[in-house]
Amino acid sequence: MSRPDVIGEIFQTFHDHGTGAYLGEPVSLAEHMLQSALAAEQDGASATLVAAALLHDYGHLLHDLPEDCAEHGIDSRHEDLGHEFLSRHFPAAVVEPIRMHVAAKRYLCAIEPSYSLELSPASLLSLELQGGPFSPAEVAAFEANPYHEDAVRLRRYDDVGKAAGAKTRELEYYRPVLESVVNR
Ligand code: FE
């Protein structure tokens, strides 16, 4: 798939599947990812990290598990689904933070006890399914990954991108951002 095609395909998937509810949050998946991308931009993040924020839950647009699957004890493994597709088209600086954004939640719960107090109820529920806070050995392994700091930053953009009715940019605004980072 050529470069313009993959960005077109991604945007089409946002339009076709992004309006679905987001796992017990008061925003749609597309709104959530647009809010996360804006948080990244406002934090002065690099283009690769803004792209990661915009695409971090892309895996949720690719599976057809019910949106309340966590309540039924099912972990959608959306971070791996998203990574599997996106890693064919984007560099590690984009897709590694995406792959690690669930791990970053488990990491932050381990190293920053107050962090779990800020999580939404849906995010706390999925935390248990995802394995709960990291052990000290898991913390060390996470910190050994060169992308772990960006994964933690992405996690914080993810956490703030859940505000009902918050204003975001249009998806189209991010086309040049994605074009600047997509594999050539
Ligand atoms: Fe998210």
Side-chain angles (χ1 to χ4, degrees), residues 82-145:
H83 179 266
E84 186 184 297
F85 173 81
L86 294 168
S87 64
R88 290 182 236 145
H89 306 288
F90 292 94
V94 175
V95 301
E96 277 293 286
I98 292 175
R99 185 181 65 78
M100 296 168 73
H101 83 276
V102 169
K105 176 169 71 171
R106 300 178 61 198
Y107 171 75
L108 283 169
C109 285
I111 65 151
E112 219 182 88
S114 62
Y115 174 76
S116 62
L117 303 176
E118 299 158 26
L119 290 175
S120 65
S123 198
L124 274 176
L125 176 65
S126 59
L127 171 69
E128 288 316 308
L129 286 175
Q130 290 153 347
F134 269 168
S135 68
E138 288 170 321
V139 165
F142 182 83
E143 288 176 344
N145 186 301

Side-chain angles (χ1 to χ4, degrees), residues 19 30 39 46 139:
T19 54
S46 62
V139 165

Side-chain angles (χ1 to χ4, degrees), residues 6-30:
V6 71
I7 295 171
E9 180 188 324
I10 288 168
F11 282 9
Q12 191 61 47
T13 304
F14 264 74
H15 290 301
D16 292 347
H17 302 286
T19 54
Y22 171 36
L23 311 167
E25 306 290 358
V27 289
S28 72
L29 274 163

Side-chain angles (χ1 to χ4, degrees), residues 140-178:
F142 182 83
E143 288 176 344
N145 186 301
Y147 295 101
H148 82 276
E149 285 175 350
D150 273 359
V152 167
R153 288 179 71 182
L154 170 57
R155 184 71 224 178
R156 298 196 192 276
Y157 308 145
D158 183 0
D159 292 331
V160 298
K162 299 174 178 178
K167 199 156 165 38
T168 65
R169 299 188 186 279
E170 297 292 321
L171 184 57
E172 200 55 43
Y173 169 85
Y174 296 99
R175 186 182 292 273
V177 179
L178 295 184

Side-chain angles (χ1 to χ4, degrees), residues 22 32 56-57 158:
Y22 171 36
H32 167 58
H56 79 273
D57 274 341
D158 183 0

